[in-house]
Amino acid sequence: MRIEASAAFTSSRPLFPLFIFLFFIPGFHARNLQQCSSSCGDLTNISYPFRLQGDPAGCGDVDFQLSCQNNTAILNFRGGKYYVKGISYDKRTIRVVDVNLAHGTCGLPYKSLSMSEATEDGRFPSLITFWQANFVNCSNTIPELTDSKVPCLNGDTSHVYVNFSNRNLFGYEIPRNCKVISRIPTSSENEMNYPYNETTLKLLATGFDLRWSVECRNCHTFGLSCVYESNNDPRIFQCETMYEEDYKTLLTAAIAYLVSCSLIDKALLVRFILAPLVVFVFLLHKCLTTRKKVGNAEHVGDLQMLPKPIPCSPQGHTRNLSSDSPKQVLIAASIERSA
């Protein structure tokens, strides 16, 4: 039986070449990079996939890089800073503790981190334990939570309490006028339950364990997920693809997406290119037609304005036709024919 680390998928032949790249190639590099090792303070034999900042380029994986400050290895993880207390290459775990809580002093974590947020990183797909400390700030004193008050964070209008749970608190579990201001995973449940004392400080100072996995990192890089092999050996993760039915569904969705994109492209082409072009041609044709009509009209007008020819007599004298009567015109025509 397989347990899902993020979202489970099963193998599919179309992506088989991808898995050759995902696993065979990283494994090849691992065999060549494991020879590199470095140390920082009490943390010795830092080797693949981990590396220290400043190590040669061929050592470790840059996604698992640590820094060494004041002889202490530090992991930058999801915006927070964590001291690295140990790395198990056999169990594939890394023990980290928030820098503000590492020395057993009173205070808030450097960066709030819930259990769900801790496992959203592909490099570290799961926690070893499932408990977290919730720091709650209230505007007034909560008498029933007096034992869990964080003394160094309390003032006249601010009262901070710590609560341990195996999940994020629901709204109805938080007292009125209070809100959660920070969270941090812990290695185990606080046996003292609510009291904030030396036991609580030591518990917070022990930090928590993360499982690391190069395979899961590779899965996330390609937008996939990884699964546990079995309950008996939770150290081993593997990347898997989709069920055939899911593959067909996604294939259909991909085709539909491409078709819709094509239709959208055509619509945009018609709207922003062809339509303006048609309008431009229409306006140009209309403009030219209008100019031609105006030109013809002007030409006709010019012809109409030309003077009419005036008929002349045989002697070359002009006649005023408007003053001759029809009878006189006939007589004159008869005389002209006789002559």
Side-chain angles (χ1 to χ4, degrees):
M1 178 180 180
R2 295 176 179 177
I3 301 176
E4 185 176 9
S6 297
F9 297 97
T10 54
S11 57
S12 180
R13 284 179 294 180
L15 294 180
F16 179 73
L18 172 64
F19 291 100
I20 294 179
F21 173 80
L22 285 176
F23 297 106
F24 177 75
I25 300 300
F28 173 78
H29 285 291
R31 289 191 293 272
N32 287 273
L33 297 176
Q34 282 177 343
Q35 303 302 319
C36 298
S37 64
S38 53
S39 62
C40 177
D42 296 332
L43 190 64
T44 60
N45 192 29
I46 300 174
S47 57
Y48 184 88
F50 295 95
R51 54 171 276 130
L52 282 180
Q53 185 177 7
D55 280 351
C59 292
D61 190 311
V62 292
D63 284 344
F64 293 85
Q65 181 167 279
L66 309 175
S67 60
C68 189
Q69 301 177 16
N70 299 322
N71 285 327
T72 304
I74 294 179
L75 171 68
N76 291 298
F77 178 62
R78 301 193 64 79
K81 289 186 176 181
Y82 301 88
Y83 292 133
V84 180
K85 304 189 69 174
I87 301 175
S88 172
Y89 295 93
D90 178 47
K91 297 179 180 180
R92 298 193 181 188
T93 62
I94 179 172
R95 169 64 65 91
V96 297
V97 57
D98 185 282
V99 294
N100 285 0
L101 305 175
H103 303 295
T105 55
C106 177
L108 287 175
Y110 179 90
K111 173 73 166 57
S112 178
L113 179 72
S114 67
M115 293 186 298
S116 58
E117 292 171 335
T119 57
E120 289 176 358
D121 192 303
R123 300 170 298 170
F124 306 100
S126 71
L127 288 161
I128 302 303
T129 57
F130 300 94
W131 292 94
Q132 69 182 24
N134 307 290
F135 292 85
V136 182
N137 185 24
C138 303
S139 58
N140 55 284
T141 301
I142 308 297
E144 57 269 28
L145 300 180
T146 300
D147 291 341
S148 62
K149 183 178 290 188
V150 182
C152 64
L153 300 177
N154 286 280
D156 294 336
T157 58
S158 177
H159 305 274
V160 179
Y161 305 90
V162 65
N163 158 270
F164 290 84
S165 67
N166 59 357
R167 54 174 170 73
N168 291 340
L169 296 177
F170 294 116
Y172 67 84
E173 295 177 303
I174 303 173
R176 294 184 60 184
N177 302 320
C178 299
K179 63 178 181 179
V180 177
I181 57 175
S182 189
R183 303 180 179 92
I184 194 72
T186 62
S187 58
S188 61
E189 181 182 5
N190 185 353
E191 296 178 358
M192 301 297 292
N193 200 7
Y194 283 105
Y196 186 88
N197 49 31
E198 291 185 4
T199 302
T200 299
L201 293 175
K202 290 180 179 179
L203 174 64
L204 296 174
T206 59
F208 55 94
D209 290 317
L210 288 168
R211 289 198 185 277
W212 53 267
S213 172
V214 177
E215 293 82 4
C216 282
R217 187 280 310 271
N218 293 339
C219 287
H220 281 253
T221 300
F222 287 90
L224 302 175
S225 298
C226 56
V227 298
Y228 285 127
E229 278 290 331
S230 68
N231 276 331
N232 297 329
D233 193 357
R235 300 169 300 171
I236 307 301
F237 296 88
Q238 73 173 16
C239 195
E240 294 189 349
T241 56
M242 298 155 285
Y243 287 102
E244 185 177 355
E245 292 78 7
D246 295 334
Y247 178 80
K248 291 180 180 179
T249 301
L250 289 181
L251 180 60
T252 303
I255 294 175
Y257 172 77
L258 293 176
V259 171
S260 64
C261 288
S262 177
L263 294 176
I264 292 174
D265 291 340
K266 291 180 180 179
L268 294 176
L269 176 65
V270 170
R271 179 175 180 181
F272 295 104
I273 298 179
L274 296 182
L277 183 61
V278 170
V279 172
F280 173 76
V281 172
F282 172 76
L283 293 177
L284 179 63
H285 174 72
K286 186 175 182 180
C287 179
L288 294 176
T289 303
T290 302
R291 290 183 61 183
K292 184 176 180 180
K293 289 181 179 179
V294 171
N296 292 338
E298 291 177 351
H299 179 66
V300 172
D302 293 340
L303 292 176
Q304 292 175 349
M305 293 176 65
L306 291 176
K308 294 182 179 179
I310 301 175
C312 298
S313 64
Q315 292 76 20
H317 299 289
T318 60
R319 293 199 308 271
N320 188 351
L321 295 178
S322 61
S323 62
D324 295 339
S325 64
K327 183 176 180 180
Q328 291 173 334
V329 171
L330 292 174
I331 294 173
S334 177
I335 294 172
E336 288 176 358
R337 285 195 296 273
S338 299

